[in-house]
Amino acid sequence: VQLQASGGGLVQAGDSLRLACVSSGRTFTDYAMGWFRQAPGKERQFVAGITWSGTTTTYRDSVKGRFTISRDNAKNMVYLQMNSLKPEDTAVYYCAADLTPVGGTVPPKILDWQYDYWGPGTLVTVSS
């Protein structure tokens, strides 16, 4: 599985960005997807996850109500719509694939070691 994230950039607090991640190399509906982020000097943290069916999503508390994860299985794409961005959202954002076969309603995993493939990341910088 190859993953490539895009859409990062420099924005001001309160602005919006939409990250996109394209997947190739395997049937996209075989796996759940997640977004993680890593700020300078900090550990990588879970941001959002979505099941292969798109019916179940999970978010870290600090982004609930501001971020939305979605996927388009016909296009092999997963998205992260980020609204009301804050300086503390500044990080490199990574998309990841979890190939563990589970039902489409099982909540996405939230630990990075549970994901099997990773893209190279896209930088999001939010200025105050």
Side-chain angles (χ1 to χ4, degrees):
V1 174
Q2 292 80 45
L3 303 171
Q4 181 65 55
S6 62
L10 172 62
V11 297
Q12 293 187 328
D15 286 350
S16 298
L17 274 178
R18 188 176 81 152
L19 305 184
C21 175
V22 61
S23 175
S24 62
R26 185 162 171 162
T27 303
F28 191 53
T29 50
D30 280 351
Y31 41 95
M33 295 293 296
W35 285 97
F36 288 76
R37 66 187 181 188
Q38 187 167 21
K42 295 187 177 181
E43 293 187 353
R44 187 163 55 188
Q45 59 181 214
F46 173 80
V47 177
I50 188 167
T51 54
W52 67 265
S53 63
T55 56
T56 304
T57 57
T58 301
Y59 299 91
R60 71 178 299 104
D61 287 345
S62 62
V63 307
K64 285 180 180 177
R66 300 189 297 124
F67 291 11
T68 302
I69 188 171
S70 62
R71 66 190 293 162
D72 184 338
N73 288 341
K75 297 181 179 179
N76 290 0
M77 298 288 294
V78 62
Y79 305 97
L80 185 68
Q81 177 66 43
M82 306 186 295
N83 299 329
S84 303
L85 282 162
K86 304 176 181 180
E88 51 263 42
D89 294 319
T90 294
V92 177
Y93 283 71
Y94 301 89
C95 59
D98 169 21
L99 270 64
T100 306
V102 295
T105 59
V106 175
K109 300 181 177 72
I110 64 172
L111 300 177
D112 57 0
W113 59 263
Q114 295 174 310
Y115 285 76
D116 303 290
Y117 292 92
W118 294 80
T122 184
L123 176 62
V124 173
T125 304
V126 184
S127 64
S128 57

